[in-house]
Every structure is written in structure tokens, then in C-alpha cells.
Amino acid sequence: MTVHERRGGPHERALARVPGDAASLAELVRDQYADERQGGRVRDLAALLAERRRVHHLVPLLEHPPEEPDAWAELVACLIQELVARRRTLVRVPAAARCADALRGLGHPLAGLPLKRTRGERRMDAAVLGPGWTPRGEQALPEPPERDAWLAGRGSPDHEPRIVSTREDERRIASAVEHWGAPEVAAVIELPRRIDPQELTPLEVNAFLPGALSAQIALYGAMTSLDTVVNELFAVAYCDASYSPGLRGGYGRLAAWQSVAGLVRAPAGASVHRINELAARWRWTMFRIIRRQPYWVYRELAIGALSPRGTVLSLLVTHDTD
């Protein structure tokens, strides 16, 4: 049983109207969810519709495009993105295109997301996501590499790794895990010399972690692809955390791309397609985390992005735990 099935109760009246008259459903949504336009209940309803109803039952709802920034506009925006996140392409669905135009006119935050998955989203599929995580216990932890030893002979003494990210950079990088709380590390680091991507595998990245954090964890990484990273970011944004609800389809997709944009230092306001182009040139690493602390960890995320020239390393290292 999924999280949406467990939460189906409050939405049954709306679910019963599908398939049916879009105008009457719009009025019901405006009435029942009027105070929840920015909350989670409309997002959950959109996820339930996409999960429980066939696409040909849902497309007629898009024939009733939103005219004002209300609960119906929120539902339409979320529903479109829930379908895209379930591998549905809507670019050739006229009703979806009209709704997208209406949402852009209303300045909706999801209006800039494409009506189909991009190259970086080939692995993304909301239909396979669930709310549970597998806890991990303690494991043997080797000593982290010595920072001074790694730097010896690899850069001038007066040019050491330097964190150059701003608070805004760190906020963008952590967008996909904003419902987890503050991340442990979200940083952009200038390196003392050019690094070959393969050097990130034995993981001397530990040399760049703050002292308190590197004493607690060790990272062991492997090169991966952009679509794997985007899928992981989307999954953690979409699903529930230990003490807070997930962002669901549209907002999860938006947050995942905001994190990628922060990691690759994309310009503010860049489109998803532009972020795709920039991110495809960076080298990506997913890290396995081994912790010294004895508590259970319900979910961990560690991603590294190395710039095309190999002189800038972006990191996101965080966890969701009791």
C-alpha cells in the first residue's frame, strides 16, 4: 500500500468525480481545497489521480484551463507534472499545452517545466516510488585520507581548496532535500589543480570535507550519469522524509533541477533545457556513506559534480534520520 492510498480518505469526493465533468470537479476543488492551494493536500490529490485513473480519464480535466491562481490552477499544474513524472508525454496534447500557457500567464512556479521528460530524466518514474527507507547500521570505517598528504605535490602551498559558494548557492544545491532540514555539506569548491574524474573514485574528496564531518563519515564514490543523479534527486524530493511530507511530482521535479542548477552553477532563472545542456558537460559521482555514529540512518544522499575543466567540485552530502 502506497502513501497515497493511505491518504486517500479526504480526497474520495474529488476522486469520485473522475471521469466526469471538469467544471463541476473544479468547483469542488475550489470549495474543498480553497485554503490548501500552497499546501500538500492538492499535491496528494494530483498524485492520487495520476496513480488511480487512466490517462484518457484525466486528459478531459485539462479541457478546463485555470483562469485564476486558485486551488484548481494548483491541481492542474500538479496533475500535468505527475503525468510527466510517470513517463507520459503531453507535448502533443492540445489541452495540456493550453493549460501550460494559462499557468505561465498566472506566473505559476511549475509553468516552466517541460511537458515531457528531458534527456536528463530518462530514469525518472514517479510510479515506482514509495515512502519507506531501509535503515543502515554501523559498518567498519577506515580512516579518512590525510588532507595534507593528498595536497603534497599536487598544488602550490599557497593555493589550497577553497569554498567559493554563497548562501544562495548552498540553498539551491540543497533544494531537493529542503524537507530533510539543513544539509551537512552543500558547497562549491575551487581545487588547487585540475583533477581527473577517475581520482574521485578512490575518494580523496574526503580531503575537502570540514573537519567535524570528515571525522564522522567516509565517502566512497563511483562515476555515474546525469540521469542517475537526477532520478535520485527527484526520488528524495518526491517521497516523504522521516518527519515531513515529500514535495510530490511537479515540485519534486522542480526541486531536483534546482539542485542540479546549483551544483553546476547555472545562471539564476535558467530553463530546464539549459540546465540539461550545462550539466551534461560535468562529471557526476554518487557516494556511499559510512558513518561512525551508532544511530540508524534512514536515508543518505551524497553527490559530487566535477566541472568540465576539472577545477571545480560541487558537493551535496546530507541524511534523513531519527
Side-chain angles (χ1 to χ4, degrees):
M1 184 167 63
T2 69
V3 65
H4 304 313
E5 289 173 321
R6 291 200 301 270
R7 292 180 180 175
H11 307 291
E12 290 302 334
R13 285 183 62 207
L15 288 171
R17 299 288 184 95
V18 180
D21 177 50
S24 64
L25 178 59
E27 288 306 313
L28 175 63
V29 168
R30 290 189 180 105
D31 177 60
Q32 188 169 345
Y33 301 88
D35 298 327
E36 296 288 340
R37 183 163 49 99
Q38 300 302 326
R41 293 180 66 227
V42 172
R43 300 182 195 184
D44 281 342
L45 174 58
L48 272 168
L49 288 169
E51 184 176 284
R52 292 188 176 184
R53 297 292 186 263
R54 297 183 182 277
V55 175
H56 69 271
H57 290 161
L58 299 176
V59 169
L61 302 183
L62 306 181
E63 296 288 355
H64 192 76
E67 299 177 355
E68 54 184 304
D70 60 3
W72 178 251
E74 186 73 2
L75 179 64
V76 168
C78 292
L79 179 59
I80 287 173
Q81 292 304 319
E82 287 288 350
L83 293 174
V84 173
R86 284 167 171 75
R87 299 175 175 262
R88 305 294 182 181
T89 297
L90 301 180
V91 288
R92 296 185 179 179
V93 178
R98 287 193 294 271
C99 284
D101 288 339
L103 291 167
R104 277 191 290 272
L106 296 174
H108 195 280
L110 301 184
L113 293 174
L115 297 180
K116 66 175 183 178
R117 291 178 303 144
T118 64
R119 291 183 63 186
E121 295 171 314
R122 288 174 291 192
R123 295 171 57 88
M124 184 180 77
D125 187 358
V128 302
L129 297 178
W133 306 120
T134 302
R136 298 181 186 174
E138 285 188 279
Q139 303 178 53
L141 179 63
E143 289 300 316
E146 290 289 338
R147 181 174 181 276
D148 293 339
W150 184 86
L151 290 173
R154 305 194 183 199
S156 60
D158 59 346
H159 188 195
E160 295 189 351
R162 186 167 63 95
I163 294 178
V164 296
S165 47
T166 65
R167 287 184 180 272
E168 177 61 16
D169 293 330
E170 294 165 2
R171 185 198 65 78
R172 292 173 72 198
I173 291 172
S175 294
V177 290
E178 63 179 357
H179 58 309
W180 284 10
E184 291 177 340
V185 170
V188 179
I189 304 163
E190 283 188 353
L191 305 176
R193 66 173 183 88
R194 180 173 182 168
I195 285 184
D196 185 276
Q198 296 305 318
E199 293 185 60
L200 295 179
T201 301
L203 219 56
E204 287 136 340
V205 164
N206 288 65
F208 307 124
L209 296 175
L213 182 61
S214 62
Q216 298 168 2
I217 70 173
L219 301 176
Y220 293 88
M223 301 305 298
T224 190
S225 61
L226 173 62
D227 57 350
T228 298
V229 169
V230 172
N231 181 62
E232 183 72 9
L233 289 169
F234 173 73
V236 299
Y238 186 97
C239 293
D240 292 352
S242 291
Y243 297 108
S244 57
L247 305 180
R248 304 294 174 253
Y251 289 95
R253 190 184 184 198
L254 180 64
W257 282 112
Q258 288 172 337
S259 284
V260 173
L263 287 164
V264 304
R265 312 186 80 180
S271 68
V272 169
H273 292 296
R274 178 58 179 153
I275 299 169
N276 254 287
E277 293 173 1
L278 293 172
R281 299 168 54 202
W282 286 59
R283 303 296 185 91
W284 296 90
T285 306
M286 295 281 287
F287 301 130
R288 182 170 62 91
I289 301 176
I290 302 177
R291 291 188 173 272
R292 293 183 184 275
Q293 291 106 325
Y295 55 72
W296 291 99
V297 173
Y298 281 75
R299 185 62 167 163
E300 292 178 317
L301 181 68
I303 292 172
L306 185 65
S307 66
R309 294 185 179 182
T311 56
V312 174
L313 175 68
S314 297
L315 287 176
L316 173 60
V317 182
T318 188
H319 71 281
D320 172 41
T321 185
D322 285 336

